[in-house]
Amino acid sequence: MRRTSRVADVLKLKGGRMVTARSDDTIGALSEQLRREKCGAVVVSDNGGLDGIISERDVAYGLATHLGDLHTLPVKSLMTKDVITCSADDTVAEVARVMTERRIRHLPVTDGEQLIGIIGMRDVLMLRLQEMERRTQMISKLYSAEL
Amino acid sequence: MLVSDILRTKGPAVETVRPDDTALSFSKQLRAQRIGATVVSRDGVSLDGIISERDLAYGLAVHGAHLPHVLVSDLMTTAVITCSPHDTVATVMAVMTQRRIRHLPVLENGRLVGLISIGDVLKHRLGEIQMEANVLRDYAIAVR
């Protein structure tokens, strides 16, 4: 049987590229970055560590309270500081559960204090789905061989 | 499993926003309902477009301080890919992953009947496979 899918496999899918912002970047600059990179969230990192995460949702919801000032605010004023993270060894099954239960789309991947990547819900759930399809096929093959 | 099965668990209500609403009121709506996208409809049944949190976030790069007053019709996507209640979950999942879209309005006879997200689709598909795996496993154990 094929081994269990892990976060390291998700990172491999992405090719290891990670977009980061700095906590004193403006939300205006961040929105340009999101648009240019075609991504939905970026990790905030001032010195290689993990200072926070900020998503298109933070920007979209932020408009309701900050109106015309939104683009001038620093990233640190809207980012989530209490970030849920995972490690490269975590199983895809476990992070899929965390993402669906907590309703979060992006999880930064850390190795100790060091930031090594970010994974998105779409990639996680696709790998989880493939894994479960493999497992179901395997069980059904095993079973039909027994008959 | 069909799109109509997902709609049944989500309930029949379809939230919409009007094309002449402002980005500000759309932002308030997203926030209040904790959602990521809404169908744009002038009357609640016709489909004029779709607008998401991404359109707001990316729109800030273009409109800056003026964004609160920009109209939904200037930010929305009008070339909307839709599905029908009779489509299979596997079909819409393929459309969503290939086109990299997160939301599909559901139309029946040209009328808007729902909006499904990639989250809804994946959750149902995973549930379906999990159930299949459990049934097979229980069966295999039972016959041993």
Side-chain angles (χ1 to χ4, degrees):
Chain A
M1 183 183 159
R2 231 191 95 154
R3 67 189 180 82
T4 307
S5 300
R6 296 185 186 275
V7 167
D9 301 316
V10 185
L11 287 176
K12 243 176 268 161
L13 271 187
K14 304 241 86 169
R17 204 176 60 100
M18 177 173 48
V19 183
T20 61
R22 300 176 64 86
S23 63
D24 55 2
D25 285 346
T26 64
I27 296 294
L30 171 80
S31 70
E32 280 165 27
Q33 189 181 21
L34 289 173
R35 189 161 177 253
R36 189 173 59 238
E37 305 285 348
K38 294 199 175 306
C39 61
V42 301
V43 167
V44 184
S45 176
D46 289 335
N47 46 26
L50 176 64
D51 296 299
I53 188 165
I54 186 160
S55 70
E56 56 192 351
R57 172 154 299 184
D58 297 319
V59 178
Y61 286 11
L63 186 67
T65 40
H66 300 288
L67 316 177
D69 294 332
L70 179 61
H71 67 301
T72 65
L73 297 177
V75 160
K76 59 174 167 274
S77 66
L78 290 183
M79 71 183 187
T80 300
K81 295 187 190 84
D82 220 357
V83 188
I84 300 172
T85 61
C86 62
S87 88
D89 298 330
D90 288 342
T91 65
V92 163
E94 171 63 13
V95 294
R97 195 183 56 77
V98 170
M99 286 176 148
T100 47
E101 273 176 13
R102 310 287 290 259
R103 296 183 65 80
I104 44 180
R105 239 183 243 151
H106 300 89
L107 278 187
V109 188
T110 53
D111 181 4
E113 294 291 289
Q114 196 63 33
L115 179 66
I116 56 175
I118 182 168
I119 55 172
M121 183 183 241
R122 183 188 296 262
D123 293 329
V124 167
L125 289 177
M126 288 313 294
L127 275 188
R128 176 75 181 127
L129 201 58
Q130 284 167 13
E131 179 180 60
M132 290 181 65
E133 272 166 352
R134 275 201 310 272
R135 192 157 299 171
T136 307
Q137 277 165 14
M138 188 201 65
I139 296 171
S140 93
K141 239 182 250 160
L142 250 178
Y143 181 65
S144 57
E146 273 184 16
L147 273 180
Chain B
M1 188 172 304
L2 302 177
V3 168
S4 54
D5 297 320
I6 297 180
L7 288 184
R8 207 169 303 125
T9 63
K10 290 192 74 170
V14 196
E15 292 297 338
T16 59
V17 62
R18 293 171 51 88
D20 55 356
D21 281 340
T22 61
L24 176 58
S25 76
F26 172 58
S27 166
K28 288 178 176 166
Q29 186 180 351
L30 284 184
R31 197 185 167 108
Q33 296 169 350
R34 312 282 326 155
I35 52 174
T38 305
V39 171
V40 185
S41 174
R42 71 203 101 151
D43 54 14
V45 289
S46 61
L47 176 69
D48 293 303
I50 190 163
I51 184 165
S52 72
E53 55 194 345
R54 174 156 296 185
D55 295 317
L56 284 185
Y58 290 8
L60 185 66
V62 180
H63 300 284
H66 304 293
L67 183 62
H69 314 292
V70 173
L71 298 183
V72 162
S73 56
D74 290 327
L75 295 169
M76 69 184 186
T77 301
T78 49
V80 188
I81 300 168
T82 64
C83 65
S84 128
H86 314 295
D87 287 336
T88 65
V89 170
T91 306
V92 294
M93 199 170 97
V95 171
M96 284 174 153
T97 50
Q98 278 159 20
R99 303 292 197 100
R100 294 194 72 81
I101 47 180
R102 270 190 214 136
H103 298 89
L104 278 186
V106 189
L107 292 185
E108 188 163 37
N109 303 321
R111 290 172 64 92
L112 182 66
V113 293
L115 178 68
I116 57 169
S117 71
I118 183 92
D120 298 328
V121 170
L122 285 169
K123 205 159 66 186
H124 277 76
R125 186 80 186 108
L126 274 173
E128 201 174 39
I129 291 178
Q130 183 101 58
M131 205 165 66
E132 203 178 321
N134 289 348
V135 167
L136 276 168
R137 197 193 48 211
D138 292 349
Y139 193 42
I141 291 170
V143 297
R144 268 173 201 275

